[in-house]
Amino acid sequence: MALPESLINALTGRNTLARTSHTPGRTQQLNFFRIGERLSLVDMPGYGYAAVEKAKVEAWTRLIHAYLKGRANLARVFMLIDARHGFKSIDTDVLDGLDKAAVSYQVVLTKGDSLKKGEVASRIAGIEAGLAKRPAAYPQVILTSSRDDSGVPDLRAAIARLLAERGA
């Protein structure tokens, strides 16, 4: 499961498990976090806001695709989308690749605390409507904020349900 550092820390309740940065693009490799005997989280390089050259983003994309390809033990990819912006074209390209590879994924909106209360429902509804047309998408969107931990219990519950469904 792929999650950013601050969300990994919020999920595990350990503020220093994953190193965080305010600069997008700091994660430049796959970082593995073993959580007990049943769960591994993988922090993958971001692609949307990284202030790096295009060739590096393309290399990250190849790395991610190579990792995801044919990985039978992969339960789900949690696709992180900045709640302030919703889907961007680069996000839909990644979702197209996950659909084509039949890799289950679920959208997690980050920075949910940045949205005005009136924007939350419409943002989630719009994303869920788009996901309804995608074969590998899990239909429920989870809104989170690692700043105030809102939505983190929902994400933990989604992971626990997923593990229970897989008999892990």
Side-chain angles (χ1 to χ4, degrees):
M1 295 177 212
L3 300 168
E5 300 91 355
S6 56
L7 199 48
I8 288 171
N9 289 339
L11 273 174
T12 61
R14 295 177 58 192
N15 291 335
T16 59
L17 178 63
R19 292 186 344 191
T20 62
S21 171
H22 292 290
T23 306
R26 292 291 186 199
T27 301
Q28 299 190 12
Q29 58 192 6
L30 300 177
N31 296 309
F32 295 83
F33 300 90
R34 184 86 174 143
I35 312 297
E37 295 299 315
R38 304 176 338 148
L39 178 66
S40 291
L41 301 177
V42 181
D43 180 22
M44 298 180 177
Y47 53 83
Y49 295 99
V52 297
E53 61 273 8
K54 188 175 180 178
K56 188 166 276 198
V57 173
E58 289 170 358
W60 293 343
T61 302
R62 285 191 304 276
L63 173 70
I64 290 167
H65 286 284
Y67 173 75
L68 295 175
K69 193 177 199 178
R71 190 160 300 279
N73 64 342
L74 178 65
R76 182 167 296 147
V77 169
F78 287 93
M79 179 74 176
L80 304 169
I81 304 293
D82 188 319
R84 299 170 298 178
H85 306 292
F87 285 135
K88 294 185 167 257
S89 63
I90 194 164
D91 299 319
T92 55
D93 291 345
V94 171
L95 297 181
D96 290 344
L98 292 170
D99 285 332
K100 184 177 178 182
V103 173
S104 174
Y105 61 89
Q106 184 169 3
V107 170
V108 176
L109 294 176
T110 62
K111 301 179 180 145
D113 57 311
S114 299
L115 290 178
K116 295 176 184 166
K117 290 199 185 280
E119 296 175 311
V120 171
S122 63
R123 180 64 43 100
I124 291 172
I127 290 174
E128 286 179 344
L131 292 176
K133 302 170 189 164
R134 295 184 162 278
Y138 189 82
Q140 178 189 6
V141 171
I142 300 173
L143 179 71
T144 67
S145 169
S146 58
R147 183 178 302 159
D148 64 9
D149 283 348
S150 62
V152 173
D154 298 329
L155 183 54
R156 282 188 192 118
I159 292 169
R161 273 191 309 275
L162 185 59
L163 290 172
E165 289 168 8
R166 293 178 59 93

